[in-house]
Amino acid sequence: MTQSPWQPISPSKPVRPAKEPLNRERIVDTALRVMVDQGYEAVSMRKIAQELHTGPASLYAHVANKKELDQLLVDRAAQAMNLPSPPDPERWQEQLKEAMREMLRAMRTMPGVARAAIGAVPLGEAALRTTECLLGILKAGGLPDQAVAWAVDLIPLYVTAVAFEENVQRADEWSPEDIERFLDGLRSYFASLPADRFPLTMALAGPLTAGAAGDDRFEFGIAVITAGLASLAELH
Amino acid sequence: MTQSPWQPISPSKPVRPAKEPLNRERIVDTALRVMVDQGYEAVSMRKIAQELHTGPASLYAHVANKKELDQLLVDRAAQAMNLPSPPDPERWQEQLKEAMREMLRAMRTMPGVARAAIGAVPLGEAALRTTECLLGILKAGGLPDQAVAWAVDLIPLYVTAVAFEENVQRADEWSPEDIERFLDGLRSYFASLPADRFPLTMALAGPLTAGAAGDDRFEFGIAVITAGLASLAELH
DNA sequence: TCGAGCATAGAACAGTGTTCGTCAACGAAC
DNA sequence: GTTCGTTGACGAACACTGTTCTATGCTCGA
């Protein structure tokens, strides 16, 4: 601001940048940024408030509590999901697998969101959209209505549990090298067990520790679930 | 100690009951009792210490930290699991279902333990015993080794996620009446949605909200997983 | 008897979610 | 232009958390 030479010099005042008003979207945006940058455990009302240059109490005019903030994060993840559509009866099983891959992909772009999601009933508008897509795919597969309805509970439960597990390991800051070292230790541990106590565990130490760093385990899981649903579809 | 008649009578001292020394088992016992009585979120180092008439710092001579305490709780749950044995190739699928039911049953006797278990690699001795049993059942089913190994990751993941979800709902102190009310509200909510936005969700509102209070959803899930594994077994 | 080792436990540190009470800004009404 | 009510902002406070530091007491072996 240009100071008029005709105005008395006012007492010096620190120039405070005009502060953008708080709103729910900015709070959720900031929470998401903190979660991605520093992990789910770093997301606190104080940390979000600090990033927004305000006090923690200010947030409560826009969100009821921390749990509601969690739910808003979950809906952000759901917004990032683009499930296959329209449903195709000819390739519903492949669409189902693609849907699960897409759900995990979206959760991986917001590591830690599975911690907020697990155990919650997803009711956000975006979450309902994913539910609607899943229902379409499962209906296209010819499953009975009750099976369809319960499958849309099972599928996100599994995918969220996988994302949760991945995030716990990431939170412990396991690099691929750490994971490999952990698995080496696990192999040694298994090798040291009394052979007569855990014969199968010892015999399968290799396969038990395989595929931790890749997507093979997840692909196996989605194949099992899809095959299971397909076999139930065949019964009707 | 017998007081010598030649000693002056000492000033009166509050009689402190002899305190049982702390050990890991007592700490875990107490944590478990707090968790069952008051829920997982009530389990804190201070609360456990208070129950044991000591200070929170005392616990750290016996457990490394809260996370290790969690793992000890998980192993307690594993100790309570009695999986079907020996494996029977003639009825391996039924045994697998029984194993999953038994795992959920054991977790239900320690509500909240799924919160500690989810995301963790179970390495306790009791957990290894359940792994060994599962491996036996899956081998009896004729699955290839890699599938067997990944299935023993998938199965506890699913069961733990179910137990976690149940406990979150229980922690919110949902009585069966609350659940029914919630489902009524969900049905109304679904009914109020634009019909053209979520047609399948609306059409399936009944099945979507059915079976929440019972075991039907869980039975469906274990049927899907078992059928999926069986169909993979048939491919080999 | 003495010193080492270990467990105990209060105090302190650095944080958490949430509520209370006060203040300022703003819009409506007069 | 003034007054009043509403709303959001936000520091202070409350009640709690996990964990470490440090002093103390007990036990046991030399």
Side-chain angles (χ1 to χ4, degrees):
Chain A
M1 176 184 89
T2 310
Q3 186 178 315
S4 165
W6 291 279
Q7 282 179 324
I9 294 170
S10 64
S12 179
K13 233 170 149 181
V15 176
R16 202 162 70 98
K19 197 182 289 183
E20 195 174 342
L22 287 177
N23 61 39
R24 210 178 178 123
E25 295 309 300
R26 290 187 64 222
I27 291 169
V28 180
D29 286 344
T30 305
L32 185 53
R33 196 159 50 244
V34 171
M35 184 173 73
V36 171
D37 290 347
Q38 303 170 43
Y40 180 75
E41 287 171 2
V43 179
S44 68
M45 304 308 261
R46 280 173 172 72
K47 180 66 73 68
I48 295 163
Q50 185 187 350
E51 296 288 315
L52 289 167
H53 302 103
T54 189
S58 309
L59 308 183
Y60 291 88
H62 304 276
V63 294
N65 49 39
K66 178 81 185 312
K67 183 180 284 187
E68 184 176 276
L69 183 58
D70 273 353
Q71 293 317 306
L72 292 165
L73 286 171
V74 170
D75 212 56
R76 280 301 174 92
Q79 285 168 34
M81 292 174 186
N82 292 302
L83 270 56
S85 189
D88 181 351
E90 296 302 314
R91 49 184 305 276
W92 73 272
Q93 291 180 53
E94 192 50 35
Q95 285 191 311
L96 191 60
K97 291 176 180 176
E98 288 299 329
M100 292 192 259
R101 290 184 192 115
E102 171 57 17
M103 288 166 76
L104 184 62
R105 182 207 63 80
M107 287 186 163
R108 281 171 168 168
T109 67
M110 301 173 190
V113 76
R115 307 250 210 147
I118 196 116
V121 180
L123 295 175
E125 200 259 359
L128 285 174
R129 275 198 283 104
T130 69
T131 298
E132 184 74 11
C133 272
L134 285 176
L135 289 170
I137 296 168
L138 292 157
K139 287 285 284 180
L143 281 134
D145 283 357
Q146 194 57 81
V148 166
W150 283 339
V152 301
D153 182 57
L154 168 64
I155 289 163
L157 192 65
Y158 171 65
V159 177
T160 304
V162 169
F164 189 114
E165 197 170 52
E166 284 184 358
N167 189 249
V168 166
Q169 290 169 0
R170 175 177 153 147
D172 293 337
E173 294 186 13
W174 289 12
S175 65
E177 290 77 27
D178 287 333
I179 292 172
E180 200 53 43
R181 236 176 269 124
F182 168 76
L183 293 177
D184 284 341
L186 204 54
R187 293 181 189 108
S188 301
Y189 175 53
F190 283 158
S192 74
L193 291 171
D196 59 329
R197 296 283 315 284
F198 305 106
L200 291 170
T201 305
M202 286 183 60
L204 293 173
L208 278 165
T209 52
D215 280 343
D216 291 338
R217 278 176 193 265
F218 180 63
E219 286 295 319
F220 172 78
I222 67 182
V224 167
I225 290 172
T226 304
L229 291 168
S231 83
L232 293 182
E234 280 162 18
L235 294 175
H236 287 78
Chain B
M1 176 185 87
T2 309
Q3 186 178 314
S4 163
W6 290 279
Q7 281 181 326
I9 294 170
S10 64
S12 178
K13 235 167 149 182
V15 177
R16 203 164 68 99
K19 197 186 285 186
E20 197 175 342
L22 287 178
N23 61 38
R24 209 177 177 121
E25 295 310 299
R26 290 186 66 221
I27 291 169
V28 180
D29 286 345
T30 305
L32 184 52
R33 195 158 53 244
V34 171
M35 183 172 73
V36 171
D37 290 348
Q38 304 171 42
Y40 180 77
E41 287 170 2
V43 179
S44 67
M45 303 307 261
R46 279 174 171 69
K47 180 66 74 68
I48 295 164
Q50 185 188 347
E51 295 289 314
L52 289 166
H53 303 102
T54 189
S58 309
L59 307 183
Y60 290 88
H62 303 276
V63 295
N65 50 39
K66 179 83 187 309
K67 182 180 287 187
E68 184 175 275
L69 183 59
D70 273 354
Q71 294 316 307
L72 293 165
L73 286 171
V74 170
D75 212 55
R76 282 298 177 91
Q79 285 167 32
M81 291 173 187
N82 293 303
L83 271 53
S85 190
D88 180 351
E90 296 302 315
R91 52 185 302 277
W92 72 273
Q93 293 179 52
E94 193 50 35
Q95 286 191 310
L96 191 60
K97 291 176 178 174
E98 288 299 329
M100 291 191 260
R101 291 184 192 115
E102 171 60 14
M103 289 167 76
L104 184 61
R105 182 205 65 78
M107 285 186 165
R108 281 172 168 166
T109 67
M110 301 173 189
V113 76
R115 309 252 208 145
I118 196 114
V121 181
L123 295 176
E125 201 258 1
L128 286 175
R129 276 198 283 106
T130 70
T131 297
E132 185 73 10
C133 273
L134 284 176
L135 290 171
I137 295 168
L138 292 159
K139 287 287 283 180
L143 281 133
D145 283 356
Q146 193 56 81
V148 166
W150 284 338
V152 300
D153 181 57
L154 168 63
I155 289 161
L157 191 65
Y158 171 65
V159 177
T160 304
V162 168
F164 189 114
E165 194 170 55
E166 285 184 359
N167 188 249
V168 166
Q169 289 170 358
R170 177 177 152 147
D172 291 338
E173 292 184 15
W174 287 13
S175 65
E177 290 76 28
D178 287 333
I179 291 171
E180 201 52 44
R181 241 178 264 122
F182 169 75
L183 295 177
D184 284 341
L186 203 55
R187 293 181 188 108
S188 301
Y189 174 53
F190 283 158
S192 75
L193 291 169
D196 58 327
R197 295 284 314 284
F198 305 105
L200 291 171
T201 304
M202 286 184 58
L204 294 173
L208 279 165
T209 53
D215 279 342
D216 290 338
R217 279 176 192 266
F218 180 64
E219 285 296 319
F220 171 80
I222 66 182
V224 168
I225 290 172
T226 304
L229 291 167
S231 85
L232 292 182
E234 279 163 16
L235 294 175
H236 286 79

